[in-house]
Amino acid sequence: MFRQASRLLARTTTSRGSRAFSSDVPATPTQDSNFIDSWTKVVPNLDPPKTPSSFMTPRPATPTSIPSKLAVNFVLPYASELSGKEVDMVIVPATTGQMGVLPGHVPTIAELKPGILSVHEGNDVTKYFLSSGFALIHANSIADIIAVEAVPVDRLDPALVQKGLADFTQKLSSASTDLEKAEAQIGVDVHSAMNSAITG
């Protein structure tokens, strides 16, 4: 049985060819000459359609040394808070815990939970409260932070946060359906995180 499996495996890998690692894929898009030749024979009057690789920009080179700054792009669905801002460090509220990102960080994708995003630039620290989102850390010391909703921490109203927390806690205790319980729990989690952000 194992002999047959190894033979089948050898046959499929040689017939398909080995799959290249993403770092082996060329940074510049390549054109499939067989497809273009076939297209021009069938439809000589039209340009061949563009494939997804035609729209790709060349991959940025991975730096040979660790840069001194981290470039941060922080975007919301309706605005761009930071665009290519060079900072010393960011701390993101990942679902696995607080994650500090310095220049030269390993490439990472992290899901964000309600919490504080801290942007450190020298002695200045700017804090935002995030509801959720994702952080994409690239090998070339660029961090893309995408949030569903965000607000500077100093613009949060402590009275409204306390009121919202009390309201959602009451809704959670009186919820009768799974949907009502889930919505109330999300409200409690977000308002608890906002309360923690305000109190420090």
Side-chain angles (χ1 to χ4, degrees):
M1 181 174 186
F2 287 119
R3 289 183 190 147
Q4 290 177 348
S6 62
R7 244 184 289 134
L8 286 173
L9 185 60
R11 194 175 341 149
T12 56
T13 54
T14 54
S15 63
R16 289 187 200 163
S18 60
R19 183 174 175 219
F21 290 110
S22 64
S23 58
D24 298 335
V25 176
T28 56
T30 58
Q31 297 238 345
D32 184 0
S33 59
N34 291 334
F35 173 76
I36 293 174
D37 291 342
S38 300
W39 178 272
T40 53
K41 287 177 187 172
V42 175
V43 189
N45 302 349
L46 294 175
D47 290 334
K50 296 201 179 283
T51 59
S53 61
S54 303
F55 298 99
M56 293 174 61
T57 57
R59 183 182 311 109
T62 303
T64 55
S65 63
I66 296 176
S68 61
K69 296 285 186 181
L70 175 73
V72 176
N73 300 310
F74 175 33
V75 294
L76 305 169
Y78 51 85
S80 176
E81 291 290 322
L82 302 173
S83 180
K85 185 166 180 76
E86 292 195 342
V87 300
D88 297 318
M89 175 177 70
V90 293
I91 299 175
V92 296
T95 54
T96 55
Q98 295 285 29
M99 184 173 82
V101 180
L102 294 166
H105 196 284
V106 296
T108 306
I109 298 175
E111 182 182 0
L112 304 179
K113 65 179 182 178
I116 297 176
L117 164 71
S118 301
V119 181
H120 298 258
E121 187 178 8
N123 293 332
D124 297 332
V125 179
T126 308
K127 294 183 178 185
Y128 298 89
F129 178 80
L130 307 181
S131 63
S132 62
F134 288 91
L136 295 93
I137 316 304
H138 306 280
N140 55 351
S141 291
I142 294 176
D144 293 323
I145 300 167
I146 300 101
V148 174
E149 190 64 58
V151 64
V153 171
D154 56 2
R155 290 184 44 202
L156 292 174
D157 185 347
L160 290 175
V161 170
Q162 289 296 330
K163 182 182 180 308
L165 182 58
D167 290 347
F168 279 108
T169 304
Q170 192 276 327
K171 285 180 184 177
L172 183 60
S173 62
S174 65
S176 58
T177 67
D178 288 341
L179 178 62
E180 290 174 348
K181 288 178 185 175
E183 288 174 345
Q185 185 62 54
I186 291 169
V188 168
D189 292 346
V190 170
H191 282 79
S192 296
M194 279 194 281
N195 193 38
S196 297
I198 292 169
T199 57

